[in-house]
């Protein structure tokens, strides 16, 4: 349950709290308005999730903790970018990072439930699968609370340093 | 019968000299209705619908409460009920058969939709008119969600409360759906899990896209779009009761495809299967030989389940 919780919390905090503040000067991006960033990030993330969640027959990973750590690594990277702005030079790299974020989320989801199906004794499988679903809900719940705080503070930080794009959405 | 099935196990080859049109069509029909295809496809539909409804209802409610209501509050009502139900339900929901649960989910989601679509809504919703592009209208909506809309009107608290209740219903429905269908995959093998996961992944893409398409590209009001989407729960009923094959005899059994007992042996076998289904549903409580559960067993079963859950926490 813990890896699923960690991944979902990182993911939804990134999506709601951090990506609204990861912005670039428009001329360096394919966008015409600042509010175009967010839906595009969302679409890339969903695409990543769809691809990884559909990969159960093809991809097999054993560790659940490594992708969770990588997801928190994504979180740290994007927060650093929002704070310092010089970490990721191009919005295209951010697109890749967010797509990668979606891939990680999906792979942990399918791997968790696949491993429960394989490693838990048959009589307990039904209950175990059901009981584990609480972890992603918990991660999302917590992220929805934390995300609001993170977004507000990151945006304020940026505005205080002259990057008011997050207010110009 | 044996000959026919071994012949039909080959994929239909229209160019083979022994193929006739009836044999080709019968082979195609055999494969389209084989459990190997029906199981992942029905779970895909279940996953898709379970999560699309959730996404659509959330988007509609966000639009209908307007930007003055903090997005965080709406999201809280969207995730917290699901979290609570997933936390407690696995310990008692085995008493409820899967068929009943599916109907319950459909009713809850439809009620949630109805609450949101049919209750009064005083907030003017921006959606595409003549020359405005889908993208522009979508951005207006995003702007509203991020709380930066300049001059919205504030809806009355009762109206917002009703919308939030509708979202809560949708949240519980999707939560019960997810925990039930994931548990159900334990009876059908890994292809079921693959179908379910893929469906839920697709729902994220399709759900948001479908809602934006309906409300901006096609210009329907939020209300009309929701009412239009209300056919989606029927697909869930269709997938579960219509497409999904009867549970195989054992848990996670693969190999032989189950005989379509309902067609061949009639009523009696169906009833036995129903009982088996219910007994297997009670499996997590600890089966007695009679398949019944008495109170002492129930208490032991709950504690046993808590211990199982404890073991799941750190994989």
């Amino acid at each position: 349950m813990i890896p699923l919780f960690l991944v979902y919390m990182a993911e939804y905090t990134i999506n709601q709290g951090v990506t609204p503040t990861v912005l670039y000067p428009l001329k360096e991006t394919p966008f015409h308005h600042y509010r175009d960033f967010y839906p595009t990030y969302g679409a890339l993330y969903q695409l990543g999730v769809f691809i990884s969640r559909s990969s159960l027959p093809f991809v097999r990973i054993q560790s659940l903790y490594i992708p969770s750590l990588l997801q928190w690594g994504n979180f740290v990277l994007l927060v650093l970018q929002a704070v310092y702005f010089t970490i990721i030079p191009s919005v295209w790299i951010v697109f890749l990072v967010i797509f990668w974020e979606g891939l990680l989320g999906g792979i942990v989801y399918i791997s968790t439930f696949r491993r429960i199906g394989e490693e838990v004794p048959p009589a307990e499988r039904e209950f175990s699968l059901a009981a584990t679903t609480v972890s992603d809900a918990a991660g999302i719940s917590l992220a929805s609370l934390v995300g609001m705080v993170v977004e507000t503070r990151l945006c304020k930080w940026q505005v205080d340093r002259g990057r008011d794009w997050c207010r110009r959405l | 019968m044996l000959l026919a099935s071994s012949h039909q196990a080959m994929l239909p080859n229209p160019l083979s000299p022994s193929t006739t049109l009836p044999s080709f069509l019968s082979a195609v029909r055999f494969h389209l209705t084989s459990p190997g295809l029906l199981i992942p496809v029905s779970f895909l539909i279940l996953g898709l619908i379970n999560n699309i409804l959730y996404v659509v209802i959330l988007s509609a409610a966000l639009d209908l409460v307007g930007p003055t209501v903090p997005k965080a509050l709406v999201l809280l009502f969207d995730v917290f009920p699901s979290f609570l139900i997933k936390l407690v339900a696995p310990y008692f929901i085995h008493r409820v058969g899967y068929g009943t649960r599916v109907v319950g989910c459909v009713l809850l989601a439809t009620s949630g939709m109805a609450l949101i679509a049919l209750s009064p809504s005083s907030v003017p919703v921006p959606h595409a008119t003549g020359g405005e592009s889908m993208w522009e209208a979508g951005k207006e909506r995003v702007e509203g969600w991020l709380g930066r809309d300049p001059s919205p009107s504030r809806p009355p608290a009762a109206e917002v409360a009703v919308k939030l209740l509708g979202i809560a219903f949708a949240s519980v429905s999707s939560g019960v759906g997810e925990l039930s269908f994931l548990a159900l995959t334990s009876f059908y093998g890994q292809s079921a899990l693959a179908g379910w996961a893929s469906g839920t992944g697709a729902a994220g893409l399709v759900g948001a896209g479908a809602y934006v398409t309906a409300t901006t590209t096609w210009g329907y009001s939020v209300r009309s779009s929701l009412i239009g989407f209300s056919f989606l729960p029927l697909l869930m009923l269709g997938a579960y009761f219509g497409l999904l094959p009867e549970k195989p005899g054992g848990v996670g059994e693969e190999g032989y495809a189950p005989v379509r007992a309902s067609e061949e042996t009639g009523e009696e076998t169906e009833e036995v299967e129903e009982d088996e289904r219910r007994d297997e549903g009670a499996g997590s409580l600890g089966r007695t030989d009679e398949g019944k559960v008495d109170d002492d067993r129930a208490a032991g079963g709950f504690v046993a389940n808590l211990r199982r859950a404890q073991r799941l926490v750190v994989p």
Side-chain angles (χ1 to χ4, degrees), chain A residues 1-3 8 12 15-16 20 31-33 35-40 42-44 46-47 49-51 53-57 60 64-65 109-110 112-118 120 122-142 144-145 148 151 155 166-169, chain B residues 51 54 71-72 75-76 79-80 82-84 86-88 90-91 94 98 101 135-136 138-140 142-143 145-146 148 175 178-180 182-187 190-191 193-205 247 251-252 280-284 304-306 308-315:
Chain A
M1 288 193 200
I2 285 193
Y8 269 80
Y12 277 73
N15 290 340
Q16 288 169 21
F31 302 127
H32 298 298
H33 302 277
R35 50 198 169 169
D36 295 343
F37 283 87
Y38 187 71
T40 310
L44 281 168
Q46 295 290 355
L47 187 65
V49 167
F50 172 61
I51 290 176
R53 282 199 184 193
S54 306
S55 68
L56 185 67
R60 186 187 182 92
L64 298 175
Y65 291 103
Y109 183 88
I110 62 170
T112 304
F113 292 111
R114 176 181 53 76
R115 279 185 61 186
I116 291 178
E118 290 170 355
V120 170
E124 301 184 4
R125 260 176 224 163
E126 191 188 357
F127 168 78
S128 304
L129 288 166
T132 310
T133 57
V134 74
S135 28
D136 61 82
I140 300 174
S141 301
L142 209 54
S144 69
L145 296 172
M148 275 293 135
E151 198 251 333
C155 191
C166 61
R167 291 275 157 83
R168 283 203 249 152
L169 293 179
Chain B
N51 287 27
Y54 180 65
K71 184 183 173 209
L75 284 178
L76 203 66
V79 303
F80 210 63
S82 169
F83 164 68
L84 287 177
K86 286 179 183 176
L87 185 67
V88 301
Y91 300 93
H94 51 261
Y98 284 100
R101 289 191 225 178
W135 199 231
E136 296 288 326
K139 284 182 303 190
E140 272 194 73
V142 170
E143 188 180 45
W145 292 349
L146 292 173
R148 286 164 176 88
E178 180 165 1
L179 70 89
S180 300
L182 269 171
L184 196 60
T185 64
S186 66
F187 298 101
Q190 205 178 79
S191 65
L193 182 63
W196 167 263
S198 188
T200 56
L205 282 173
K247 257 189 240 173
V251 181
E280 282 177 52
S284 53
N305 275 344
L306 276 179
R308 276 185 200 124
Q310 210 173 17
R311 284 198 293 268
L312 289 166
V313 172
V314 187

Side-chain angles (χ1 to χ4, degrees), chain A residues 71-99:
Chain A
Q71 194 70 294
W72 279 101
N74 276 343
F75 173 78
V76 167
L77 178 65
L78 289 171
V79 165
L80 285 176
Q81 168 57 23
V83 165
Y84 293 116
F85 188 63
T86 50
I87 310 288
I88 302 177
S90 161
V91 73
W92 298 95
I93 302 181
V94 175
F95 289 160
L96 271 177
V97 170
I98 291 182
F99 180 70

Side-chain angles (χ1 to χ4, degrees), chain B residues 285-299:
Chain B
L285 267 191
R287 289 176 73 163
T288 61
D289 288 335
E290 307 88 59
K292 283 198 208 129
V293 180
D294 55 46
D295 286 334
D296 292 336
R297 251 322 164 48

Side-chain angles (χ1 to χ4, degrees), chain B residues 247-264:
Chain B
K247 257 189 240 173
V251 181
E253 201 179 85
E254 306 209 11
Y256 291 119
V259 172
R260 296 299 296 267
S262 50
E263 287 160 16
E264 296 185 7

Side-chain angles (χ1 to χ4, degrees), chain B residues 45-59:
Chain B
I45 295 176
L46 290 172
L48 192 65
I49 306 297
N50 190 51
N51 287 27
I52 276 189
L53 283 176
Y54 180 65
V55 169
V56 163
I57 289 174
L58 175 64
S59 312

Side-chain angles (χ1 to χ4, degrees), chain B residues 77-119:
Chain B
F77 271 80
D78 188 50
V79 303
F80 210 63
S82 169
F83 164 68
L84 287 177
I85 199 75
K86 286 179 183 176
L87 185 67
V88 301
Y91 300 93
F92 62 82
I93 206 166
H94 51 261
R95 295 173 191 271
V96 180
Y98 284 100
T100 318
R101 289 191 225 178
V102 173
V103 173
C105 284
V106 165
L107 287 175
L108 260 180
T110 313
S111 314
M113 258 183 190
L115 273 176
I116 292 173
L118 304 176
S119 60

